[in-house]
Amino acid sequence: MTSTVFRIGGDLEVRRLGFGAMHLPTEVGPARESALTVARRAVELGVTLIDTAHLYGGGANEELLAEALYPYPDGLVITTKVGVAPSGPRREWKVDGRPAVLRAQVEHALHRLRVERIELLQLHRIDPETPLADQLGTLRDLRVEGKVGRIGLSEVTVSELDQARQFVDVASVQNRYNLLDREHEPVLTACERAGIAFLPWRPVAAGTSGTKAEIAAVASEVGATPTQVALAWLLNRSPVMLPIPGTARVDHLEENLAAEGVDLTPVQRARLDRLHEPA
């Protein structure tokens, strides 16, 4: 039977099927009220891992989650990401891993989320223009100071993961991965070997008519939706897989979380596995 929980860093237990908050509207008005409802409903349905980032509205997404959920229930983990900042006269968002920027974004996140410690902090991207030792050294210092519990990475290669682990204990990796896009399969394998949580972003993706037909066929067989099949496949794919599907609608949220109850047979999983194989 597939486990429904995972311990990030070996000790931080979360439900494997989480929620990505990126799509929640933050502007004042009815859309924001709906976003607050979605976030609260996620927790009502047992979500214990919510993903956000400084990039999402320059911290507005973090503020939204705090407004919706603070004071937080026991066991809820809100993970955020730092390392992307507005730059230049046009204030365009760019990767920025300078120590002062990382430290400032963590301090802002602590304030916006209304917490004294971020249990899981992820580096949104590795900055190629800043020494890796300086980027991870800053996050390590913040952990020593008690402001960060565990350190993760996002969009990294196996080589970058190996290099990072020379400086810090890496608790999680957040890379793009889904049923039809498995470019980062080697990274997933490396995470499995090391017991590192793998948080696939964009966990559900549209495919060609042929792949859609096969996914739809499996969905019909198990009495589920194609989206639920895609998420169920991820949960079956690896014990370190922690999908974080995002939505701004309660009905989609409920559909996503119900994927945990979808049982795929070995034959059905094999059929889905083959969708990625070259023609």
Side-chain angles (χ1 to χ4, degrees):
M1 182 176 177
T2 303
S3 175
T4 59
V5 299
F6 182 82
R7 290 181 174 85
I8 300 175
D11 63 346
L12 184 64
E13 184 170 292
V14 297
R15 179 180 176 183
R16 287 179 60 205
L17 194 51
F19 175 66
M22 180 179 70
H23 298 294
L24 295 180
T26 57
E27 64 275 10
V28 177
R32 181 185 181 88
E33 293 305 311
S34 177
L36 294 171
T37 298
V38 170
R40 291 167 182 152
R41 182 59 176 153
V43 173
E44 287 175 0
L45 292 171
V47 166
T48 58
L49 175 64
I50 297 179
D51 175 79
T52 183
H54 179 84
L55 173 63
Y56 307 159
N61 197 266
E62 295 170 338
E63 291 177 338
L64 176 83
L65 292 174
E67 180 181 341
L69 303 171
Y70 187 86
Y72 304 114
D74 291 342
L76 178 64
V77 176
I78 298 180
T79 173
T80 192
K81 300 182 286 293
V82 296
V84 182
S87 177
R90 296 184 178 180
R91 306 300 288 166
E92 295 176 347
W93 290 92
K94 297 179 64 176
V95 175
D96 192 338
R98 290 175 296 171
V101 171
L102 297 179
R103 182 170 283 275
Q105 290 188 356
V106 169
E107 294 289 355
H108 290 154
L110 291 168
H111 176 73
R112 292 186 182 110
L113 291 170
R114 309 179 199 176
V115 295
E116 295 182 355
R117 176 166 118 151
I118 297 167
E119 291 299 338
L120 176 62
L121 178 77
Q122 300 180 105
L123 184 62
H124 211 142
R125 296 290 187 275
I126 291 176
D127 182 357
E129 298 182 4
T130 301
L132 185 60
D134 291 351
Q135 298 175 69
L136 296 180
T138 300
L139 302 188
R140 184 182 59 224
D141 290 345
L142 287 162
R143 183 177 182 183
V144 171
E145 294 166 23
K147 296 177 179 179
V148 171
R150 296 153 198 81
I151 297 169
L153 305 170
S154 181
E155 281 302 282
V156 293
T157 64
V158 172
S159 176
E160 289 169 335
L161 175 58
D162 288 342
Q163 292 175 51
R165 294 181 69 202
Q166 296 177 24
F167 299 103
V168 295
D169 291 329
V170 177
S172 68
V173 167
Q174 186 168 332
N175 278 19
R176 188 188 71 253
Y177 186 93
N178 57 62
L179 177 57
L180 304 177
D181 180 357
R182 305 180 211 173
E183 175 186 348
H184 294 296
E185 193 81 41
V187 181
L188 172 59
T189 300
C191 287
E192 284 182 330
R193 289 172 178 165
I196 295 171
F198 187 90
L199 284 63
W201 64 268
R202 196 180 294 161
V204 179
T208 63
S209 58
T211 55
K212 285 182 179 178
E214 184 67 7
I215 297 170
V218 173
S220 178
E221 292 166 15
V222 297
T225 66
T227 293
Q228 290 171 333
V229 166
L231 292 171
W233 178 85
L234 283 173
L235 291 170
N236 277 275
R237 172 62 189 83
S238 169
V240 305
M241 189 83 73
L242 278 62
I244 46 171
T247 180
R249 290 175 47 174
V250 169
D251 58 337
H252 286 170
L253 169 72
E254 294 173 346
E255 174 189 353
N256 291 342
L257 295 177
E260 199 174 70
V262 174
D263 292 322
L264 301 174
T265 67
V267 172
Q268 288 167 336
R269 291 200 300 269
R271 285 162 57 194
L272 296 171
D273 288 346
R274 287 194 293 269
L275 295 180
H276 181 63
E277 294 177 359

